[in-house]
Each structure stands twice: as C-alpha cells, then as structure tokens.
Amino acid sequence: MPEHKPITMRILLILVITVYIAFAPGGCKSSSGPATFCDTSCLTDTLHFINDKHPLRPYVYISARNCIADTLIWSFRGMGVNRKMDFPDLVGAVPKLNKHYIRCYIPDTSYAWLLFNDCGTGRGYYVKIPFSKSGSFLRSGRAINNLDPKFSVTEGLVAYTDQGNIFVEEMASGKKAIMTLGEQLDFDFDAIHKTLDSVNISPSRVWAKVKLKDGWKELEKSITLK
C-alpha cells in the first residue's frame, strides 16, 4: 500500500548503513588481527642503555626510524668513535620493539648483551656486542628470555635452544651448561609455546615443559656452569 512505502525505505536505508559500518575499515574490532606478544605501537625514541657505575660509562643505543629499530650504536668514554650497525641486518629480521621488552647488560668495556622479544610474534633474540673491533658478534633468534612471562630465567643468565638442547650461559663469566631434550624437535620460533611451554632456569637447575613425540613432558636437570 502507498502509505507504507516511506517505512520500507527507512528500513532499507538502516540495513545499508549497518552493513557499511560492519565492513568499513576499522568498523569492526575483530578485524584488528590476532593478539600480539606486546604493544607494537610506533617506536619513536632512541633507547639508551648505559653502565653509569663503570668509569668509562660504556653504552648501547638503539635509534628508531619509520617506527622501527633502525641503528645500533655502542661505545664508551675514551673510545673516540661511535660504532654503528644497521639493526635489521644485525639480527636478520625487522622486529617490532617495545622498550619494556628489552634488556641490556653492560658489565664492562668488553661486551654488552642485548636481549629482546619481537612484539609481533614473541620470538626471543639475544645479541652479544663486542666493543673491540676484533671481537665477534654472537646473535640468535632462538633465545629463551625471561621477558616472556612463561619463561623464568635468573637475571644474568642467557638461555637458548638449538631445538635439541637448552643452553645456559652466565653473561658475566661466559660459563655454560646444557640440558639435552632427548630429541631433535621442530620448533616454530614465532610460536615457541607450541613446543616449549615454559621453563625455570637458574645457575644450578634447568626445568622445562616441552612437547616431545610422545606428548608434553617435564624435563629437569641439575647443572653446573663451567
């Protein structure tokens, strides 16, 4: 009937608007993607790590460009020059960094240890940075960092895996220990908890809950760093 036509048109208009809002960019919260390990907001500030207690004040800086970590800078008082390296080239990736998920240990002017997790995936990294030009970089994207709440690792230790073992190293002394997992596993380091659920690592003990061929197992070993 003619008198009902305006009501029908209003209903149709409401339906069209509702569909547009639901599918418009940013109109639906579920389109934001899966949850990330930590906040991936734009990194704008240079990150500063300095050992103020050492007379030569060794330091490590990470500068940002276009919202990502761009350049690694390190030196100490009297060195006479800032050493620099492209950060993505150094780690072999373009990780999304958050200042709350980075640790840097600078015991003296020999080496600095940089530990961090990619906020996009949760993948753990470590980099051992030599202050001397003759020193060698050590780096890994297989780190087991205590920045991950499911990984308890005593401060001053760095832990990592080659997919068949868990290695533990004391950063200050270089002393090491190892726990064998018993199998060579297929880790996805961008989703590490699918294989390595949790760990508790101290200078005297390694405990891990790991998914072996027979299912989830809890492994434990007393260790001596040497």
Side-chain angles (χ1 to χ4, degrees):
M1 297 176 62
E3 62 268 26
H4 294 305
K5 187 173 182 180
I7 297 175
T8 302
M9 291 302 293
R10 282 199 299 273
I11 294 173
L12 180 61
L13 181 60
I14 291 170
L15 288 172
V16 170
I17 293 173
T18 301
V19 170
Y20 174 79
I21 292 173
F23 288 94
C28 180
K29 291 183 179 179
S30 63
S31 65
S32 60
T36 56
F37 177 79
C38 50
D39 185 3
T40 59
S41 299
C42 180
L43 180 67
T44 57
D45 299 328
T46 296
L47 304 177
H48 299 81
F49 306 97
I50 305 171
N51 182 347
D52 288 317
K53 296 181 180 179
H54 193 282
L56 298 181
R57 300 184 79 248
Y59 60 82
V60 173
Y61 298 161
I62 302 174
S63 66
R65 182 180 182 185
N66 296 327
C67 294
I68 63 171
D70 177 69
T71 306
L72 180 74
I73 305 164
W74 69 102
S75 188
F76 56 83
R77 183 181 290 165
M79 189 174 180
V81 64
N82 278 332
R83 298 189 65 189
K84 297 181 180 181
M85 181 172 285
D86 181 85
F87 192 82
D89 285 350
L90 173 65
V91 300
V94 186
K96 295 181 180 297
L97 299 188
N98 180 308
K99 64 181 180 180
H100 299 297
Y101 291 85
I102 304 175
R103 300 287 185 271
C104 189
Y105 300 90
I106 313 175
D108 50 36
T109 57
S110 54
Y111 286 92
W113 285 90
L114 187 67
L115 279 62
F116 60 92
N117 282 61
D118 180 353
C119 281
T121 64
R123 177 189 282 256
Y125 292 84
Y126 76 75
V127 182
K128 188 178 182 181
I129 306 164
F131 284 95
S132 168
K133 288 185 178 181
S134 61
S136 300
F137 276 92
L138 296 177
R139 69 205 87 180
S140 176
R142 300 177 173 187
I144 303 170
N145 295 333
N146 63 8
L147 298 163
D148 188 316
K150 298 198 77 175
F151 293 157
S152 175
V153 182
T154 299
E155 293 292 332
L157 299 179
V158 60
Y160 52 97
T161 179
D162 64 355
Q163 302 182 232
N165 307 278
I166 291 178
F167 297 90
V168 182
E169 181 172 348
E170 188 175 51
M171 287 184 269
S173 68
K175 294 180 179 179
K176 301 176 183 179
I178 182 174
M179 182 179 81
T180 298
L181 300 177
E183 299 175 10
Q184 192 68 20
L185 303 177
D186 185 18
F187 276 77
D188 177 358
F189 287 95
D190 289 335
I192 193 170
H193 293 295
K194 290 181 178 179
T195 306
L196 185 63
D197 176 77
S198 51
V199 303
N200 192 310
I201 298 173
S202 73
S204 60
R205 172 179 172 268
V206 177
W207 174 94
K209 183 178 180 181
V210 61
K211 190 173 186 180
L212 303 177
K213 292 178 182 177
D214 294 335
W216 288 101
K217 303 290 183 182
E218 294 184 13
L219 305 178
E220 183 174 2
K221 180 183 178 182
S222 295
I223 61 171
T224 300
L225 296 168
K226 55 184 178 181

